[in-house]
Amino acid sequence: MANHSRRDFMRNSLLGMAALPLGAGILSKSAFAQDLPPLDPANEQTQALNYVKDAAEAADHPAYAKGERCDNCMFFQADSQGCQLFPQNSVEPAGWCQSWTAQS
């Protein structure tokens, strides 16, 4: 009987340890979602990707197509208003950059 309990304990411990990184990732995203500072338009990467806070400002950019906005881009994260391309910052939902990619 003790072996059965020990096996259950070991199996549950291993499963818990395997799930720990997943849980930590979910918690850290939730915990820090509202703490992202706004993206600075003067930032070097921001300028390299031609990011603008208002997509209408990109109308003359050759890569821009009407209707493209951060909030309908596959890189946008609605819960934090973050962008996978700028992981340390939030972006304007109405913004745009030349890496805009349609959500799938």
Side-chain angles (χ1 to χ4, degrees):
M1 183 125 180
N3 276 347
H4 183 66
S5 295
R6 190 176 324 153
R7 268 185 265 156
D8 286 344
F9 173 77
M10 292 300 291
R11 182 182 59 220
N12 291 337
S13 295
L14 288 173
L15 287 172
M17 288 175 55
L20 199 65
L22 176 63
I26 291 170
L27 286 175
S28 67
K29 285 180 184 173
S30 298
F32 298 112
Q34 302 305 319
D35 295 339
L36 295 175
L39 186 59
D40 179 5
N43 176 303
E44 189 175 307
Q45 183 182 3
T46 306
Q47 291 180 349
L49 293 177
N50 294 300
Y51 169 80
V52 291
K53 291 182 176 184
D54 183 358
E57 296 174 27
D60 61 343
H61 193 282
Y64 176 77
K66 187 175 182 180
E68 295 178 351
R69 296 167 35 117
C70 290
D71 61 1
N72 62 18
C73 175
M74 72 176 282
F75 299 118
F76 184 71
Q77 299 167 325
D79 61 337
S80 64
Q81 292 191 348
C83 174
Q84 293 173 11
L85 302 177
F86 307 106
Q88 305 300 318
N89 300 98
S90 64
V91 295
E92 291 294 326
W96 178 87
C97 86
Q98 70 184 33
S99 294
W100 182 92
T101 305
Q103 294 174 344
S104 52

